[in-house]
Amino acid sequence: GAVVSQHPSWVICKSGTSVKIECRSLDFQATTMFWYRQFPKQSLMLMATSNEGSKATYEQGVEKDKFLINHASLTLSTLTVTSAHPEDSSFYICSARDRTGALNIQYFGAGTRLSVL
Amino acid sequence: AQTVTQSQPEMSVQEAETVTLSCTYDTSESDYYLFWYKQPPSRQMILVIRQEAYKQQNATENRFSVNFQKAAKSFSLKISDSQLGDAAMYFCAYRRGGAQKLVFGQGTRLTINP
């Protein structure tokens, strides 16, 4: 099956610093990638939809200046948490849609645990 | 707006037994897709099974099968011959035809008792 690589798997940072998370589709091209946030024992909350070569579409309530998304190629999207604070600590998951696949399935990365001290 | 509801926060089953996880959804669309994803302790989301709304036949993947009741807007997952490796959070998800976003349910934590 299709593989989505997410890096890093765990990051600890100081309050006020920025953190970048990468999401790569390894064996397929993804015109669309998605970024989710997951709190402990809760479901996935969609933050934004990332389209290759264009601006991301953010869900209501998600600060676009806080969570910068760049989708510069068909295989890479990045999420930068700017000026991170302890309340940004969470599990972030990306997914990618295989644009060539007839099944139009989203494949997920393994997630990134962000801890802001 | 479409919603997905999983009414069972937790379920448990004896190893080798069968368990059914419930999911209901609300939509006015006729073209849509339904999914079950598994999230084991590693937290890697894995697609378990997929159902197109236009198909009457229930999807099956080895020990996993669904009971798709379109009129009732119900999409339950049956796991047969449960194995220890089936222990995970299971999320039901909906996607409108032509759309990109998935709408997830709250999840059901499945425990397998040896």
Side-chain angles (χ1 to χ4, degrees):
Chain A
V3 178
V4 175
S5 173
Q6 190 171 339
H7 179 81
S9 59
W10 192 6
V11 57
I12 302 173
C13 69
K14 293 182 179 180
S15 184
T17 61
S18 295
V19 174
K20 180 183 286 188
I21 302 169
E22 291 187 349
C23 180
R24 295 180 183 272
S25 57
L26 296 187
D27 50 4
F28 67 97
Q29 294 182 326
T31 50
T32 305
M33 291 184 173
F34 305 85
W35 288 95
Y36 297 86
R37 186 171 180 175
Q38 186 178 31
F39 291 102
K41 299 184 178 181
Q42 293 190 23
S43 188
L44 281 70
M45 180 190 77
L46 180 66
M47 299 174 64
T49 301
S50 166
N51 295 295
E52 186 264 337
S54 64
K55 291 183 178 180
T57 302
Y58 290 83
E59 294 299 302
Q60 190 173 7
V62 178
E63 300 175 62
K64 62 181 180 180
D65 295 330
K66 173 76 168 175
F67 299 99
L68 299 180
I69 292 173
N70 183 276
H71 191 164
S73 78
L74 286 172
T75 59
L76 174 64
S77 176
T78 60
L79 168 68
T80 301
V81 183
T82 62
S83 187
H85 291 284
E87 57 266 29
D88 299 322
S89 297
S90 190
F91 194 69
Y92 294 88
I93 305 175
C94 74
S95 71
R97 184 172 71 91
D98 184 350
R99 70 171 190 157
T100 61
L103 299 181
N104 196 6
I105 291 173
Q106 281 189 34
Y107 298 96
F108 286 81
T112 297
R113 183 181 303 281
L114 171 63
S115 298
V116 184
L117 304 178
Chain B
Q2 294 88 4
T3 59
V4 178
T5 302
Q6 294 177 248
S7 59
Q8 307 154 314
E10 297 183 353
M11 291 282 285
S12 63
V13 64
Q14 289 296 126
E15 190 176 5
E17 297 293 308
T18 295
V19 64
T20 299
L21 308 184
S22 301
C23 173
T24 58
Y25 58 96
D26 184 24
T27 184
S28 59
E29 304 288 337
S30 59
D31 178 24
Y32 55 89
Y33 302 83
L34 296 164
F35 306 84
W36 278 97
Y37 279 91
K38 168 185 177 181
Q39 187 180 41
S42 68
R43 305 193 76 170
Q44 171 77 61
M45 294 282 285
I46 301 166
L47 178 64
V48 175
I49 201 164
R50 175 183 188 268
Q51 175 80 44
E52 295 90 336
Y54 63 84
K55 289 187 177 179
Q56 292 186 335
Q57 187 173 8
N58 289 325
T60 298
E61 287 289 341
N62 300 313
R63 298 183 293 107
F64 299 87
S65 62
V66 298
N67 184 2
F68 174 46
Q69 300 292 323
K70 191 171 184 178
K73 296 180 182 176
S74 171
F75 183 62
S76 61
L77 173 70
K78 186 172 81 171
I79 305 174
S80 303
D81 186 25
S82 299
Q83 300 176 1
L84 294 178
D86 295 332
M89 280 289 288
Y90 285 81
F91 292 98
C92 178
Y94 164 99
R95 181 174 64 79
R96 178 173 56 85
Q100 301 182 92
K101 295 195 291 187
L102 286 172
V103 178
F104 284 93
Q106 305 92 322
T108 296
R109 181 172 300 280
L110 177 64
T111 301
I112 311 296
N113 299 314

